[in-house]
Each structure stands twice: as C-alpha cells, then as structure tokens.
Amino acid sequence: MDSLPTLTASLKAHNLFAKKSFGQHFLLDQNLTDKIARLAVPHEAVIEIGPGPGGLTRSLLNMGVKKLYAIEKDPRFISLLQEIENVSDGRLNVFEADALKVDLAALDSTRPLRVCANLPYNVGTKLLINWLHAQPIFWDRLVLMLQKEVAMRIAAQPNTKPYGRLAVLAQSITAPHIAFEVPAHAFTPPPKVDSAVIVLDILPQGERYADLKMLGRVTASAFGQRRKMLRKSLRALAGDLGIDLETWLGTANIDPSVRPETIDIKGFHRLSDTANALR
Ligand code: SAM
C-alpha cells in the first residue's frame, strides 16, 4: 500500500475529474477517510459502494480488513482502483457495476457483511431502502456518508420536522446514530450541502419489525400528505386494502384526527399489524 502515489497524483496520472452525473464529490483527506473507516473496521468482510479515487478504500485496507469488495459504476475509475487491488495482497476485489443492480449478499458467504460508503447523493436513499428490505438481512452495520439532511431524517424522533417515512423504516430494524458531520468544503469538488456520516446498527433479530413492506405502504400514505389528519391520508390505502378506516385506526389505538409526525414507531407498527390482520 505504501508504494501507491497520493490520491491527487493518482487522479492526475489517470486524467480523472469529477462528473456530476455520477454524484462525484471526492474525499482526498486521509485523516477523514480514516475516521470513517474506523467506524466499519475491524471487521472481516466489508463492501464499499462508489470507491471513486479510492481514499476510503485505502483507509479500510490500511486498517486490516481481510476482504473488501468495491463496487464502482464509473468505468473511468477501474484501472486506478485496480492499482490498489494489485498491492492489496488479494484482499480487495473491484467490480465495475451499478450498486442498485448488484446482489451484495452474493458477493461473499461471510456473515455478517458490513457496508461502508461515501454515497452518491442521487442514489443514497434508494440504496439504503434496498438494504433495509434485504431478506434475509446480510449485514450488521451500515456506515454511510449522506447529505446531512438525509442523515437527520433517518435518525429523527417523532414530533420533529425531519421525522417521516425514512425514520420509521430505518428505526424499525436498526439503531441509527449520526457519528459526525462533514462540511461541504471537505470534498473535492464541494457539493452544495453539508454531509454527515451515519451508522446504522442492525437490531437483534427479536427486536426487528418483520413486515417492512406493509409498513412502507402505511408510511408512504401517511407521510405522503403529512399536513393532513390520518383519517384523510390513510383513506385511500384503507380502500385499497379493503378494510374499514375507522375500525383500522380504532383497533390500532390511533387517534384519527392526529397528523403522522405525532405517531411514534410503535404506533406505525400497530397500524401495519392491524392492516394485515383486518385485510
Ligand atoms: N468514495 C469516493 C470518495 O470518498 O472520494 C467517491 C465518493 S463519490 C460521492 C460517489 C462515488 O460513487 C463515485 O465514485 C461514483 O462514480 C460512484 N457511483 C455513483 N453511482 C453509483 C452506482 N449506482 N453504483 C456504484 N457506484 C456509483
């Protein structure tokens, strides 16, 4: 690893520059990538999404990860990443692929896997939702650099502005916490907004909410019209499910006149369970 050129020299040697269409904002400060990597390792097998110039990749390898799978969509970066692969003693495997289409669970049979990524903003939330819905869950922790606003939505508590669908889904199977914030100027080129690294630890099996699919439908309807009372926002879904709205809300012990941000996670679980029981 010591034989590698600096990240800046490596980018220059490969004539690489950031492209907006790939959501590219690079971390070239090894202190910062080390700080992120420390949240993910030590761990045996880690998956990195969007390695780009490979700063975080190098940090993860330097910290001794045994197996690292790096999935990069932009073909321009593959030869640069292969240079890191070549000095990794077989620990790094680079794939040119779209992370949205890769079955991460199939990359390695080691369990649990762990995901560590400075994510492209345009696909970050979608990837997170996919990983939350994975069956069975193959990871024990996600360490993700996201837009600060998205990280706050994931960790939000009821009765706050950022509380919504993402908080309910994420907190139904994980314990998320924001590890630290990262200002826009830490990236090259800087994005328009600040970022934050969020850590999502999977809850013990018995504490995870089982039916994220129904929960997803309920929260999409409830927060799709977040200024409205639940008796309005959930009416269409009740119709689709063929259940009586007042019976549904009554059985779940939910006041029909409240707005969704006042319902805690357990309340949404009751709504989802009752919807399944009544349909
Ligand atoms: N990890 C690098 C760093 O910290 O400097 C780059 C981070 S940059 C915010 C996001 C990276 O994800 C880019 O390298 C981009 O090409 C890659 N990327 C974008 N969309 C992707 C996708 N769907 N699948 C895999 N990688 C993707």
Side-chain angles (χ1 to χ4, degrees):
M1 296 293 296
D2 291 342
S3 61
L4 291 168
T6 65
L7 290 170
T8 312
S10 192
L11 281 169
K12 204 168 169 202
H14 288 264
N15 196 22
L16 288 167
F17 50 90
K19 267 194 189 171
K20 222 177 175 179
S21 57
F22 283 102
Q24 289 171 345
H25 300 281
F26 304 134
L27 292 175
L28 305 177
D29 172 359
Q30 204 75 33
N31 289 323
L32 186 51
T33 52
D34 282 355
K35 198 171 165 188
I36 302 168
R38 240 174 259 127
L39 297 167
V41 290
H43 195 74
E44 188 167 332
V46 175
I47 299 169
E48 187 192 354
I49 308 299
L56 184 55
T57 320
R58 292 185 188 200
S59 291
L60 289 162
L61 289 167
N62 283 335
M63 286 178 196
V65 67
K66 285 202 188 115
K67 295 188 240 173
L68 179 60
Y69 300 88
I71 298 167
E72 174 55 59
K73 189 177 174 191
D74 185 346
R76 298 178 305 145
F77 282 84
I78 300 302
S79 60
L80 176 154
L81 291 164
Q82 279 165 347
E83 283 176 8
I84 308 177
E85 194 172 50
N86 291 340
V87 295
S88 73
D89 296 325
R91 294 183 296 143
L92 174 63
N93 287 285
V94 175
F95 296 91
E96 181 191 332
D98 180 343
L100 284 166
K101 297 184 184 150
V102 176
D103 177 7
L104 299 190
L107 288 174
D108 194 297
S109 57
T110 308
R111 291 293 180 271
L113 297 170
R114 199 165 266 194
V115 178
C116 184
N118 172 15
L119 287 176
Y121 291 152
N122 48 356
V123 291
T125 312
K126 226 185 231 173
L127 283 168
L128 171 61
I129 300 271
N130 285 354
W131 297 330
L132 294 174
H133 279 90
Q135 285 292 347
I137 293 287
F138 57 90
W139 46 270
D140 69 341
R141 175 180 286 186
L142 308 172
V143 178
L144 308 175
M145 171 87 80
L146 290 163
Q147 265 169 278
K148 184 175 151 189
E149 174 255 326
V150 176
M152 286 174 73
R153 284 204 276 132
I154 294 167
Q157 295 303 305
N159 294 305
T160 63
K161 213 170 158 202
Y163 182 70
R165 184 165 186 250
L166 209 47
V168 177
L169 289 179
Q171 293 173 36
S172 290
I173 66 160
T174 73
H177 78 272
I178 293 178
F180 55 91
E181 296 179 10
V182 183
H185 64 74
F187 297 83
T188 307
K192 289 205 176 78
V193 293
D194 290 336
S195 298
V197 176
I198 189 160
V199 177
L200 296 99
D201 281 311
I202 196 74
L203 292 172
Q205 183 104 44
E207 292 174 28
R208 292 178 218 160
Y209 186 69
D211 189 358
L212 283 199
K213 225 169 165 190
M214 179 56 84
L215 190 63
R217 290 182 77 180
V218 173
T219 50
S221 300
F223 288 104
Q225 305 178 64
R226 66 181 292 144
R227 305 307 308 154
K228 298 219 168 114
M229 295 180 201
L230 288 173
R231 77 154 58 88
K232 272 217 152 163
S233 57
L234 291 181
R235 181 165 295 149
L237 179 59
D240 287 350
L241 295 169
I243 60 181
D244 177 68
L245 180 64
E246 297 295 325
T247 311
W248 178 20
L249 295 175
T251 316
N253 197 20
I254 297 290
D255 179 349
S257 67
V258 299
R259 290 183 175 152
E261 66 265 26
T262 65
I263 307 292
D264 65 9
I265 311 272
K266 295 278 176 232
F268 278 106
H269 294 173
R270 288 201 306 279
L271 278 170
S272 172
D273 285 341
T274 318
N276 275 325
L278 294 173
R279 66 197 293 220

